[in-house]
């Protein structure tokens, strides 16, 4: 077995031309029967690493996977690609299980997915050991580590399995970015000097952005306006807010639903199913949502609240863009969230550790340097240069002298504390600065301090943003141990005393909306056409998926539709070269998609767009209406000969054209002979001369087409 067999299988079953760099190495390792640990980010392409070796090896590969929903999806996708696979779990009926066992006995399955619980039932382990197993793959392998966030006791049973099958290789796969857990996996599994494959955890297709947390709903709606029909998730801290945000989005005309652990299992799986099937594109959810789904076309993720730590944040944004297409993420940052999270983690265990993780999260949100650098450095990777795909890179902050503003605020804090011995909350501080007539403010005599009203020209929201910047700059700090009140730091005092100035970032960039922030690129006519075609392909995909009762991405994923809308294949041959179109899908869906593309090209060329290949198709349309070559030529104001060459060309591509309208069996044989003698690339004129002009050009065009078409069919 070698890598070229593997490559052929990749093309045949999955429709991909080449392996990603690490996939090839992992596959080599598995084929040589060595243990392997594979650490790749979500969307990195882990499944292919064991699916291809399973397909080309003798026997059945056993895949241990913790989530039943995921298992089902994987098996469905494999079957759609013509790979024989099945899963066994507790939800199946006795008959179903018997059928699968029958398939196993006769070695009809290339992959069998099972849950770790299944391993523990009865004497299943004995049963398994008697099968012809090619190797064992352990998906979500971090579940074996007690250090991880997703420990599953059943996984510990896998070490026993490793001992029972000393001669079978194990491959463990995970997307965990947590170092402690990573190091624990091979140990816990009792692996045999495994090869470790560590991919970069960078996800360059995910754009990163942090927004100030004011007017969040408005900002989300702006964000959605620029992304019609795209699927995405809004992560929220509380169950209640998932519901209220979903309602607000629905009221704004968006098809949104909510999801949280307080719903019944039935309700939850219904929402999840609708999301997977593209029936409901937007889900407002607590972080419980997303674990059990493999949907590759989640195009965006919004964090309505700050996540507790970078691990969680990375995992949640990672649910976007698994298919590798550009996807957007947006995080809202407010102090209210920080305070709430601080309270939450203070009540939980490992309090100091949690707090410092929260602080790292905060630093990420506040940074003025490339965010991806910070994100990756947290996970121990370094980027050579700024990423160019985060808000800081796209829009470096513009600064202005904020000394006076800072002094006004700090002076108010100091006076209230020193002169009146009182503490200030954010709201009260801003109200003093803005000269509010709030009764409790007057009652406490706050209106008598010197800076009362000194900042009336700055709006409430802007004050919040300035205070946030002052915190970031270390001029003030929040006394978490003292009712979250403000305190002026030593640096702040220096500024207050006029020892040195401070710069603030201009607020225009906080206010501006996502779409206006990035200079809107002018969309070329070609791009616009591609987008329109993508939409039509998407609708066709959905119709087919509903008819077959499978998720749309199982038909084709977004990357495949994108490739189709770029390349616009109009023949089976061209369709075969689209990424993600394997043999079975070509057979099942190829014609329907080609048909749509042909109709699209004809429609658009009539509207005046220039599209490669369209002229032949316009001829074809008239040909189908029964017009003769001459009539078509007249209508299209072209030469008869051009029409003939169009039709010959289409015939060669496999279109349904009656060749004997244009030539005869004898002529075809003669031309065939001639080409064989002269070599295939002599051209029409040479063949014409060969026959001394006795065979007309029309026949020669078709003769050449006939030969090429036969070759295509043979291949
Ligand atoms: P993971 O399990 O690591 O999150 P998947 O196995 O789901 O990732 O793969 C992510 C996406 O990348 C899928 O849509 C998959 O079809 C695609 N993919 C995997 N390998 C290749 C490849 N060699 N060429 C093109 N696309 C690939
Ligand atoms: Zn960047």
């Amino acid at each position: 077995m070698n890598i070229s067999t593997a490559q052929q299988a990749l093309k045949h079953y999955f429709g991909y031309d080449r392996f990603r760099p690490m996939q090839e190495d992992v596959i080599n390792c598995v084929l040589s029967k060595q243990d392997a640990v594979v650490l790749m980010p979500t969307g990195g392409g882990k499944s292919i690493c064991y699916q291809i070796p399973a397909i080309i090896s003798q026997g059945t590969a056993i895949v241990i996977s913790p989530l039943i929903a995921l298992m089902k999806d994987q098996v469905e996708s494999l079957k759609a690609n013509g790979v024989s696979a099945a899963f066994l779990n507790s939800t199946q009926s006795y008959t179903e299980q018997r059928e699968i066992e029958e398939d196993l006995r006769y070695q009809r399955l290339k992959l069998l997915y099972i849950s770790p619980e299944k391993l523990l039932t009865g004497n299943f382990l004995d049963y398994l050991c008697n099968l012809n197993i090619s190797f064992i793959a352990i998906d979500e392998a971090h579940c074996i580590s007690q250090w991880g966030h997703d420990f599953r006791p059943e996984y510990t049973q896998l070490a026993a399995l490793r001992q029972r099958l000393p001669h079978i290789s194990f491959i463990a796969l995970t997307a965990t970015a947590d170092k402690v857990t990573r190091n624990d996996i091979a140990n816990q599994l009792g692996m045999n000097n495994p090869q470790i494959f560590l991919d970069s955890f960078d996800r360059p297709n995910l754009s990163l952005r942090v927004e100030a947390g004011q007017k969040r709903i408005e900002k989300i709606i702006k964000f959605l306006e620029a992304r019609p029909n795209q699927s995405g998730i809004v992560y929220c801290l509380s169950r209640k807010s998932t519901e209220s945000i979903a309602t607000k989005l629905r009221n704004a005309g968006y098809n949104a639903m909510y999801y949280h652990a307080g719903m019944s299992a039935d309700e939850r799986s219904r929402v999840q199913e609708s999301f997977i099937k593209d029936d409901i594109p937007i889900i407002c959810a607590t972080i419980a949502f997303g674990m059990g789904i493999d949907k590759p076309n989640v195009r965006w993720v919004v964090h309505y609240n700050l996540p507790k730590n970078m691990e969680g944040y990375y995992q949640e944004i990672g649910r976007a863009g698994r298919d590798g297409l550009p996807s957007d993420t947006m995080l809202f940052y407010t102090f209210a969230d920080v305070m709430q999270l601080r309270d939450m983690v203070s009540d939980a265990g490992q309090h100091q550790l949690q707090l410092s993780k929260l602080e790292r999260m905060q630093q990420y949100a506040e940074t003025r340097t490339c965010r991806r650098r910070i994100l990756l450095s947290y996970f121990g990777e370094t980027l050579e240069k700024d990423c160019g795909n985060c808000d800081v890179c796209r829009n470096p902050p513009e600064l202005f002298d904020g000394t006076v503003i800072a002094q006004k605020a700090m002076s108010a804090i100091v006076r209230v504390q020193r002169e009146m011995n009182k503490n200030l909350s954010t709201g009260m501080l801003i109200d003093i600065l803005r000269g509010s007539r709030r009764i409790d403010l007057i009652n406490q005599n706050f209106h008598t301090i010197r800076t009362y009203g000194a900042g009336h020209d700055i709006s409430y929201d802007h004050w919040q943003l300035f205070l946030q910047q002052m915190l970031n700059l270390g001029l003030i700090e929040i006394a978490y141990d003292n009712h979250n009140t403000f305190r002026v730091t030593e640096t702040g005092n220096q500024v207050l005393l006029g020892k040195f100035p401070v710069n603030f970032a201009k607020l225009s960039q906080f206010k501006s909306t996502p779409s206006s922030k990035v200079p809107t690129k002018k969309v070329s006519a070609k791009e616009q056409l591609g987008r329109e075609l993508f939409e039509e392909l998407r609708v066709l995909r959905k119709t087919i998926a509903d008819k077959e009762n499978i998720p749309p991405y199982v038909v084709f994923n977004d990357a495949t539709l994108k490739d189709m809308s770029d390349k616009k294949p109009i023949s089976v041959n061209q369709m075969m070269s689209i990424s993600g179109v394997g043999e079975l899908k070509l057979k099942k869906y190829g014609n329907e998609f080609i048909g749509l593309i042909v109709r699209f090209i004809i429609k658009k060329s009539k509207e005046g767009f220039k599209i490669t290949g369209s002229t032949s198709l316009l001829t074809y349309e008239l040909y189908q209406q029964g017009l003769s070559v001459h009539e078509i030529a007249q209508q299209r104001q072209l030469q008869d000969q051009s029409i003939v060459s169009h039709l010959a060309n289409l015939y060669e591509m496999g279109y349904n054209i009656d060749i004997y309208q244009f030539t005869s069996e004898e002529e075809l044989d003669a031309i065939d002979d001639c080409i064989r003698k002269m070599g295939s690339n002599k051209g029409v004129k040479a063949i014409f001369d060969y026959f001394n002009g006795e065979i007309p050009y029309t026949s020669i065009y078709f003769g050449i087409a006939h030969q090429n078409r036969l070759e295509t069919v043979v291949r």
Side-chain angles (χ1 to χ4, degrees):
M1 209 68 66
N2 57 29
I3 202 74
S4 89
T5 317
Q7 205 130 24
Q8 280 163 15
L10 182 71
K11 183 70 193 164
H12 179 90
Y13 291 102
F14 299 96
Y16 300 135
D17 288 328
R18 60 193 70 82
F19 288 110
R20 294 179 180 155
M22 192 160 287
Q23 287 176 330
E24 192 164 328
D25 298 341
V26 176
I27 289 168
N28 270 323
C29 175
V30 176
L31 291 176
S32 67
K33 309 246 171 257
Q34 278 189 67
D35 284 354
V37 177
V38 179
L39 307 162
M40 259 188 203
T42 307
K46 284 184 287 300
S47 327
I48 294 284
C49 293
Y50 60 83
Q51 288 170 347
I52 289 287
I55 291 168
I56 64 178
S57 297
Q58 294 279 333
T60 305
I62 307 296
V63 185
I64 317 281
S65 172
L67 297 158
I68 291 172
L70 276 191
M71 247 187 245
K72 202 169 134 259
D73 282 0
Q74 290 258 3
V75 169
E76 220 159 50
S77 291
L78 282 166
K79 284 186 173 165
N81 282 322
V83 180
S84 60
F87 60 86
L88 273 178
N89 66 37
S90 45
T91 65
Q92 286 161 313
S93 71
Y94 179 73
T95 356
E96 272 177 299
Q97 300 203 15
R98 280 298 301 273
E99 270 171 33
I100 292 163
E101 283 166 18
E102 185 95 350
D103 282 343
L104 279 170
R105 196 164 32 241
Y106 292 102
Q107 297 193 27
R108 288 194 286 248
L109 295 177
K110 284 286 141 199
L111 294 108
L112 175 71
Y113 285 74
I114 56 175
S115 59
E117 291 86 349
K118 182 77 195 172
L119 279 179
L120 297 173
T121 50
N123 45 7
F124 188 76
L125 218 57
D126 295 329
Y127 170 78
L128 205 62
C129 294
N130 285 322
L131 294 174
N132 183 8
I133 296 175
S134 50
F135 61 89
I136 310 257
I138 296 152
D139 210 1
E140 314 287 346
H142 58 274
C143 294
I144 199 168
S145 173
Q146 309 210 20
W147 296 106
H149 50 86
D150 201 13
F151 173 61
R152 284 166 195 255
E154 313 85 56
Y155 259 65
T156 47
Q157 187 70 12
L158 294 173
L161 184 64
R162 183 76 199 84
Q163 284 184 339
R164 291 281 303 267
L165 300 166
H167 304 299
I168 303 244
S169 62
F170 276 52
I171 164 177
L173 310 102
T174 176
T176 193
D178 172 342
K179 269 186 244 162
V180 187
T181 308
R182 284 174 173 179
N183 295 335
D184 200 28
I185 292 172
N187 267 340
Q188 294 298 330
L189 279 172
M191 278 186 152
N192 217 334
N193 193 19
Q195 278 202 49
I196 312 278
F197 297 91
L198 172 61
D199 205 1
S200 163
F201 270 61
D202 189 13
R203 303 277 310 278
N205 63 317
L206 302 183
S207 76
L208 305 172
R209 176 157 97 221
V210 178
E211 285 281 328
Q214 281 81 36
K215 306 210 171 89
R216 282 178 274 194
I217 291 291
E218 265 174 51
K219 286 177 184 167
I220 293 175
I221 289 172
K222 271 264 159 52
F223 179 86
L224 295 179
E225 275 169 9
R227 290 164 182 77
N229 297 322
Q230 293 189 1
S231 257
I233 308 171
V234 181
Y235 280 115
C236 317
L237 203 54
S238 73
R239 295 175 184 181
K240 226 171 70 195
S241 56
T242 65
E243 297 184 13
S244 70
I245 294 162
T247 308
K248 284 176 190 158
L249 294 180
R250 289 191 87 87
N251 290 342
Y254 290 94
N255 190 4
M257 259 306 283
Y258 58 87
Y259 180 105
H260 57 67
M263 295 156 65
S264 73
D266 260 8
E267 277 177 300
R268 272 181 297 163
S269 67
R270 205 159 347 114
V271 172
Q272 189 163 305
E273 190 78 5
S274 318
F275 184 60
I276 287 170
K277 292 201 160 165
D278 288 346
D279 287 326
I280 294 175
I282 301 169
I283 307 292
C284 304
T286 52
I287 54 173
F289 184 71
M291 302 255 222
I293 55 173
D294 229 343
K295 186 176 156 73
N297 61 332
V298 176
R299 290 271 70 89
W300 54 263
V301 165
V302 167
H303 279 89
Y304 195 85
N305 302 99
L306 191 74
K308 276 207 284 277
N309 52 46
M310 298 282 271
E311 286 89 350
Y313 173 67
Y314 179 80
Q315 194 175 40
E316 285 137 30
I317 60 171
R319 294 185 177 132
R322 290 181 79 131
D323 52 16
L325 293 182
S327 306
D328 299 314
T329 75
M330 178 158 77
L331 162 70
F332 287 114
Y333 178 50
T334 62
F335 273 108
D337 282 351
V338 175
M339 318 253 204
Q340 197 185 345
L341 286 169
R342 286 190 76 96
D343 287 346
M344 280 167 66
V345 301
S346 306
D347 296 341
Q350 292 183 301
H351 163 166
Q352 262 319 317
L353 178 69
Q354 303 297 339
L355 275 183
S356 71
K357 286 189 169 198
L358 176 59
E359 270 158 26
R360 294 292 294 270
M361 191 65 234
Q362 232 180 314
Q363 280 162 16
Y364 170 83
E366 290 171 359
T367 186
R368 288 194 197 173
T369 57
C370 173
R371 288 195 209 279
R372 199 173 311 266
R373 288 191 143 177
I374 299 199
L375 185 61
L376 286 174
S377 78
Y378 182 82
F379 296 115
E381 268 186 64
T382 38
L383 261 191
E384 293 289 302
K385 50 182 193 327
D386 288 355
C387 78
N389 195 19
C390 73
D391 53 346
V392 183
C393 282
R394 287 196 162 146
N395 198 30
E398 241 183 274
L399 304 178
F400 74 97
D401 185 347
T403 314
V404 176
I405 296 177
Q407 285 172 336
K408 283 179 185 168
M410 290 190 294
S411 152
I413 297 170
V414 169
R415 278 167 198 281
V416 170
Q417 271 167 355
R418 291 215 192 118
E419 293 167 17
M420 308 172 98
N421 203 17
K422 287 195 170 129
N423 288 318
L424 278 180
S425 67
T426 320
M428 188 62 92
L429 172 60
I430 296 177
D431 281 341
I432 293 172
L433 287 163
R434 289 183 38 76
S436 154
R437 311 290 308 168
R438 258 168 78 170
I439 191 73
D440 50 343
L441 189 153
I442 309 283
N443 283 347
Q444 297 189 70
N445 276 329
F446 287 160
H447 64 295
T448 61
I449 66 170
R450 229 181 61 197
T451 35
Y452 173 78
H456 65 90
D457 52 336
I458 296 173
S459 73
Y460 191 93
D461 287 350
H462 283 185
W463 265 119
Q464 268 186 325
L465 295 168
F466 286 135
L467 290 172
Q468 196 162 306
Q469 294 197 45
M470 290 168 63
L471 278 158
N472 300 349
L473 291 168
L475 305 181
I476 53 177
E477 59 188 13
I478 293 182
Y480 292 109
D481 51 358
N482 188 11
H483 309 290
N484 295 328
T485 53
F486 287 116
R487 213 158 38 202
V488 175
T489 64
E490 194 37 49
T491 320
N493 266 323
Q494 303 281 315
V495 172
L496 197 51
L497 296 172
K499 294 258 171 76
F500 58 85
V502 288
N503 286 326
F504 280 168
K506 281 195 178 160
L507 291 185
S508 54
Q509 59 192 93
F510 288 89
K511 268 191 311 185
S512 64
T513 57
S515 40
S516 64
K517 201 178 219 174
V518 186
T520 35
K521 244 190 4 203
K522 236 180 119 63
V523 184
S524 68
K526 190 158 180 253
E527 261 173 31
Q528 185 53 38
L529 268 186
R531 283 185 202 178
E532 277 181 46
L533 177 55
F534 184 93
E535 270 314 296
E536 294 195 14
L537 294 169
R538 201 177 60 80
V539 172
L540 172 60
R541 169 176 77 177
K542 175 71 177 143
T543 318
I544 294 175
D546 284 349
K547 210 159 49 194
E548 297 192 15
N549 196 24
I550 50 177
Y553 66 79
V554 172
V555 177
F556 286 128
N557 71 17
D558 280 14
T560 301
L561 294 194
K562 174 77 175 47
D563 206 25
M564 283 187 205
S565 63
D566 287 345
K567 298 194 181 131
K568 306 186 182 59
I570 55 167
S571 71
V572 170
N573 244 339
Q574 291 172 7
M575 190 54 110
M576 223 151 59
S577 72
I578 297 293
S579 171
V581 181
E583 299 273 333
L584 185 63
K585 286 188 181 173
L586 180 71
K587 223 191 287 167
K588 270 175 87 173
Y589 311 124
N591 278 332
E592 251 177 298
F593 281 85
I594 292 171
L596 186 154
I597 294 167
V598 167
R599 287 192 299 279
F600 179 86
I601 294 178
I602 292 176
K603 182 176 72 190
K604 287 293 161 185
S605 348
K606 285 182 180 163
E607 289 172 16
F609 288 93
K610 290 261 168 293
I611 306 171
T612 330
S614 63
T615 181
S616 298
L617 293 178
L618 290 169
T619 295
Y620 184 60
E621 195 191 22
L622 297 172
Y623 172 81
Q624 277 187 311
Q625 290 166 10
L627 271 64
S628 71
V629 167
H630 189 61
E631 285 164 342
I632 299 172
Q634 281 192 320
Q635 188 159 335
R636 297 205 55 207
Q637 300 182 336
L638 293 168
Q639 302 280 326
D640 286 14
Q641 209 55 253
S642 306
I643 303 302
V644 169
S645 88
H646 293 164
L647 293 173
N649 190 15
L650 291 163
Y651 177 76
E652 183 177 325
M653 288 198 281
Y655 281 64
N656 198 3
I657 285 165
D658 177 16
I659 189 172
Y660 297 110
Q661 230 180 303
F662 304 99
T663 180
S664 66
E665 198 78 66
E666 295 76 44
E667 282 181 343
L668 288 176
D669 283 347
I671 295 165
D672 207 37
D673 263 358
C674 162
I675 293 174
R676 210 163 297 152
K677 276 184 204 141
M678 295 199 323
S680 58
N681 47 7
K682 279 295 181 303
V684 190
K685 177 78 167 61
I687 300 172
F688 186 77
D689 291 344
Y690 177 90
F691 291 111
N692 295 320
E694 277 163 30
I695 294 187
Y697 273 113
T698 301
S699 302
I700 297 173
Y701 276 120
F702 274 97
I704 296 172
H706 187 59
Q707 221 194 26
N708 292 340
R709 173 158 154 134
L710 283 179
E711 275 174 15
T712 310
V713 175
V714 171
R715 191 155 30 101

